[in-house]
Amino acid sequence: MNISIIAVGSELLLGQIANTNGQYLSKLLNGIGHNVVEHAVVGDNPERLKRVINTTLDKNDTVILTGGLGPTKDDLTKHTVAEILGRELVIDQAALDDIEHYFQKQNVEMTPNNRQQALVIEGSEVLENKFGMAPGMLVNHNEKRIILLPGPPKEMQPMAKNELLPHLLDGEQIIYSELLRFAGIGESKVETVLMDLIDKQSNPTIAPLAGTHEVNIRLTANGESETICQALIDPIKSEILSRIGEYYYGSDDIKLEQALMQNVKRTFAVYDGVTDGELYSRMKDFDDHQYLQGMLPHHQQFVDKTLPIERQLTITANIVKDLYQTDVAITLLYENESVYLGILNGEKLEIQSFKMIQQSNMLKHRTQNYVLIRLLNRLKPQ
């Protein structure tokens, strides 16, 4: 199912409010395996709205409109859709009863224009609004689906999740997702490497999601059981990991530092000249077996900054290894817009480096994930 989402309201174009409905619906619909392929925003102008709806219906099989279902003159969405489909607007008695009950309960006279909120497109499936007045609608027309939802998020979100979603699930099928987690790689590179898979996705769907200094990929399948869904996901997952597996650290709710500490089987300590101890704190939170023995913050008394960086890494790694009597020593230093990671295992020092501009707190925050994924690949049992 290819879905286009059209947000209706001049206030969106004027920048008075943000289109959070579009974001919510995209997450919800991609999460059940449907493809949101287009977003549009249209002001309160019936001719423009008609043009956008017709164009979208030519391209996609499902159109969702949010907004324009209220009682005022500029709430024109259902009138415009009804005109396009050649259908009448009729009163939904259940909706009208709810509206009248609301005004009676508030002891306020109901103005005639509020009856407009109970109007629905003839032949539509009415979606109950349990948090407002105007009901939503689902209309099947010439093998296309047109869905109308209210604009206020407090009404739209529960309606979409509780009233609309059951109509979009196929019979007895279930939706199952696995979230693949990656660090040390940018979203643009992930998308470039996986573009052919993304372009031909069907079941499961592939949704790259940018996180804080990491990238997630949600694979979502629908099928008759979780086992069937997992069988659909597994070959796509294997193909993705064959391309960017070096950046993968786990699935679903696992944290990067948690994945590292679950795989470490040797004692180690850290000399930290970059993250101000934040890297140590993240790892220590998951150090159930006390493999992380300690951390030494960088200070000029420990190393001469005029020495070559390789020599500085060697000195600091040996200092922290001897101090804490560990199997492995980790050292982090920053020089010439590069972070240097030294891993001393026995007598051999392995050095890795990556570019990192010293800007605000980005240096110490981004460095952590780059280092953690490298430590995971280097320290986990082979």
Side-chain angles (χ1 to χ4, degrees):
M1 181 184 295
N2 290 329
I3 300 174
S4 178
I5 298 173
I6 302 173
V8 182
S10 296
E11 66 274 16
L12 293 164
L13 294 176
L14 293 171
Q16 294 172 346
I17 61 172
N19 183 19
T20 57
N21 286 340
Q23 179 188 34
Y24 178 86
L25 287 170
S26 286
K27 288 182 178 180
L28 183 71
L29 297 167
N30 279 290
I32 63 168
H34 295 322
N35 299 320
V36 176
V37 297
E38 187 176 45
H39 280 262
V41 178
V42 184
D44 300 312
N45 181 294
E47 293 306 314
R48 292 195 195 103
L49 180 57
K50 189 184 301 183
R51 184 170 63 250
V52 171
I53 293 173
N54 282 323
T55 301
T56 304
L57 282 173
D58 287 340
K59 297 184 292 183
N60 303 311
D61 48 40
T62 301
V63 178
I64 299 178
L65 298 105
T66 63
L69 304 184
T72 61
K73 291 181 67 175
D74 59 359
D75 289 310
L76 301 172
T77 301
K78 57 189 168 188
H79 298 80
T80 304
V81 173
E83 183 180 342
I84 291 172
L85 302 182
R87 300 195 188 189
E88 297 293 326
L89 289 172
V90 297
I91 288 289
D92 181 74
Q93 192 59 49
L96 182 59
D97 291 344
D98 287 341
I99 295 169
E100 290 176 341
H101 177 70
Y102 171 82
F103 282 98
Q104 291 168 5
K105 188 177 179 180
Q106 299 295 316
N107 198 26
V108 175
E109 181 183 357
M110 187 178 105
T111 56
N113 63 342
N114 276 291
R115 287 179 58 88
Q116 176 175 306
Q117 296 191 89
L119 288 173
V120 297
I121 297 172
E122 185 180 20
S124 64
E125 184 79 32
V126 177
L127 307 175
E128 184 181 359
N129 189 343
K130 296 179 180 178
F131 296 87
M133 296 187 192
M137 284 153 270
L138 187 155
V139 188
N140 291 300
H141 182 78
N142 293 339
E143 299 184 348
K144 304 277 187 175
R145 272 179 170 169
I146 304 174
I147 297 160
L148 290 76
L149 299 174
K154 67 181 180 65
E155 300 177 28
M156 191 284 297
Q157 292 182 10
M159 182 184 291
K161 183 176 181 180
N162 301 321
E163 310 300 325
L164 173 62
L165 217 55
H167 292 282
L168 301 183
L169 295 174
D170 298 325
E172 298 299 318
Q173 291 195 329
I174 69 163
I175 301 298
Y176 178 81
S177 294
E178 182 175 352
L179 189 68
L180 311 183
R181 296 188 175 274
F182 300 84
I185 184 172
E187 183 185 15
S188 59
K189 183 175 181 180
V190 166
E191 192 165 287
T192 300
V193 173
L194 303 181
M195 184 57 70
D196 61 314
L197 299 179
I198 295 171
D199 284 344
K200 63 182 182 183
Q201 64 179 307
S202 56
N203 185 20
T205 58
I206 305 169
L209 309 166
T212 304
H213 310 313
E214 63 178 70
V215 177
N216 302 321
I217 299 174
R218 184 181 298 281
L219 303 179
T220 302
N222 57 73
E224 294 178 358
S225 68
E226 184 176 318
T227 301
I228 291 174
C229 290
Q230 189 66 64
L232 292 168
I233 286 173
D234 283 345
I236 300 298
K237 176 182 176 181
S238 297
E239 180 60 30
I240 290 172
L241 295 186
S242 73
R243 303 184 188 188
I244 54 173
E246 65 185 290
Y247 304 103
Y248 172 73
Y249 67 85
S251 293
D252 299 323
D253 294 330
I254 195 167
K255 294 183 177 181
L256 177 51
E257 57 270 31
Q258 181 183 9
L260 170 62
M261 298 310 294
Q262 286 178 353
N263 282 277
V264 168
K265 303 301 179 186
R266 291 171 287 175
T267 60
F268 69 105
V270 178
Y271 183 94
D272 190 351
V274 181
T275 77
D276 293 335
E278 291 186 12
L279 177 64
Y280 171 83
S281 296
R282 285 179 62 180
M283 293 188 292
K284 198 62 182 173
D285 283 343
F286 294 95
D287 186 20
D288 297 334
H289 301 289
Q290 302 302 308
Y291 286 124
L292 180 52
Q293 296 292 297
M295 185 274 296
L296 190 63
H298 179 54
H299 194 276
Q300 61 185 8
Q301 73 184 56
F302 298 124
V303 65
D304 183 353
K305 291 289 288 182
T306 63
L307 293 173
I309 190 64
E310 293 81 4
R311 183 61 182 151
Q312 294 182 49
L313 291 165
T314 300
I315 291 171
T316 52
N318 278 287
I319 288 174
V320 77
K321 187 172 186 290
D322 292 342
L323 177 64
Y324 291 104
Q325 293 296 294
T326 57
D327 301 319
V328 179
I330 310 299
T331 180
L332 285 177
L333 294 174
Y334 183 75
E335 186 172 281
N336 297 327
E337 296 189 345
S338 291
V339 172
Y340 289 87
L341 167 65
I343 304 174
L344 181 60
N345 186 9
E347 299 299 320
K348 181 181 179 182
L349 179 69
E350 177 186 332
I351 299 174
Q352 300 182 31
S353 65
F354 44 92
K355 285 289 184 182
M356 193 72 68
I357 297 174
Q358 190 170 7
Q359 182 179 7
S360 185
N361 289 323
M362 187 175 292
L363 171 62
K364 69 177 182 179
H365 291 152
R366 288 189 64 194
T367 292
Q368 295 173 46
N369 278 11
Y370 276 74
V371 169
L372 286 167
I373 194 66
R374 284 161 173 77
L375 290 179
L376 176 59
N377 287 329
R378 184 65 184 81
L379 299 181
K380 67 183 178 183
Q382 300 300 314

